[in-house]
Amino acid sequence: MYLKRLGGLIVAASTTAAAIAGVSVLTASSAAASTTCVTANSGVNAVLSYTGTHADGSTVTAPLLSGVASPGTSVVARVKVTHLPAGATCVNLALATYRSETVRYNEFGYQLLYQSATATNVHLGDTVTLTVLVPQTPGTPGPGCTNTHTLAQNGNGANVPGPYDTTCDGTASGNGQGNGAAKGKTCAGCVGNADNKNPPGQQPGPQDANAGYECDTNKGIAKGNPAHSGCAVGVFWQVDLVTGPVLPYVGTAPSGGVSQSYGANPWDTKRLLDSWHS
């Protein structure tokens, strides 16, 4: 799976609706709402600083989202407005994260809002802080998955949410048909109850010193097998710092119709100040 770039914005990834995980609102000034508050990024300049806190508690700071955002990261953006266009007295700002519902790319799909934070009536010289969480996994498994087992996560041991949550959507296993009960089952994650396990001490890629689980270099489980769906880390999310209101989704509408974005489409107002994606 990959995400499609239209102009400077990633806009597509999924075909299934998801609930908004959380919305927070900040007010940058006690002044009354101004009719000249700009919602486009033309003429808006700001000094940006980000702090990202990863799931393991480690932190990182950077001047761009690309330096801090990753799956499961809590992102704190500090935005100081240094210039507004002529005639404007304030700007509305928002930081929003989006996620897809499945790991399969859909050219005509969309990503739903996951979390957002907004700051209204931000005046020249104001500094605001916006905090959102980058989704750690995609949403619900896709309809192509034939596994009907209840994958309970009771908080004990490996039975906790994490980067290895199931992405089963009917994708073929990277390691063949399996043996025993899995024989002939070519769908990755379609057999057994192991696919929602997140073992302690196991993290994808270089985040740990081993290669023994999903998303690592282990040539068995890392490629997906009938008991374990493929790794979706890095292919299902985006985070946007924008002017103006938050969009409930980016890409083609769930019910069809015109695609919407923060400026990727020629008919959309260009509102991006900073953006990063998987």
Side-chain angles (χ1 to χ4, degrees), residues 78-275:
R78 293 175 180 83
V79 186
K80 181 177 182 180
V81 178
T82 57
H83 186 268
L84 292 172
T89 61
C90 58
V91 61
N92 296 330
L93 300 172
L95 184 67
T97 56
Y98 294 84
R99 76 171 177 181
S100 67
E101 279 295 275
T102 69
V103 295
R104 284 195 174 184
Y105 170 77
N106 179 2
E107 183 177 358
F108 303 102
Y110 62 94
Q111 286 187 323
L112 280 175
L113 180 65
Y114 184 71
Q115 283 195 1
S116 69
T118 61
T120 58
N121 304 322
V122 185
H123 292 75
L124 186 66
D126 283 351
T127 298
V128 297
T129 300
L130 305 168
T131 303
V132 294
L133 181 67
V134 178
Q136 187 162 245
T137 63
T140 56
C145 183
T146 60
N147 192 341
T148 59
H149 292 288
T150 299
L151 303 178
Q153 293 176 322
N154 58 18
N156 297 322
N159 298 308
V160 294
Y164 303 124
D165 285 2
T166 181
T167 61
C168 180
D169 63 358
T171 300
S173 170
N175 284 294
Q177 298 181 356
N179 299 308
K183 187 172 180 60
K185 305 291 187 179
T186 59
C187 170
C190 283
V191 175
N193 294 316
D195 202 23
N196 253 17
K197 305 294 185 180
N198 287 274
Q202 293 285 350
Q203 291 292 323
Q207 296 181 39
D208 59 17
N210 60 59
Y213 209 63
E214 294 177 14
C215 318
D216 278 326
T217 56
N218 180 291
K219 297 187 182 302
I221 192 173
K223 293 182 179 180
N225 61 36
H228 293 269
S229 53
C231 180
V233 172
V235 294
F236 59 88
W237 59 272
Q238 71 182 63
V239 54
D240 303 311
L241 177 65
V242 302
T243 58
V246 173
L247 294 174
Y249 65 89
V250 289
T252 303
S255 57
V258 178
S259 173
Q260 65 177 10
S261 72
Y262 290 112
N265 299 317
W267 56 84
D268 293 324
T269 302
K270 297 187 182 302
R271 302 199 278 124
L272 276 179
L273 295 176
D274 191 15
S275 180

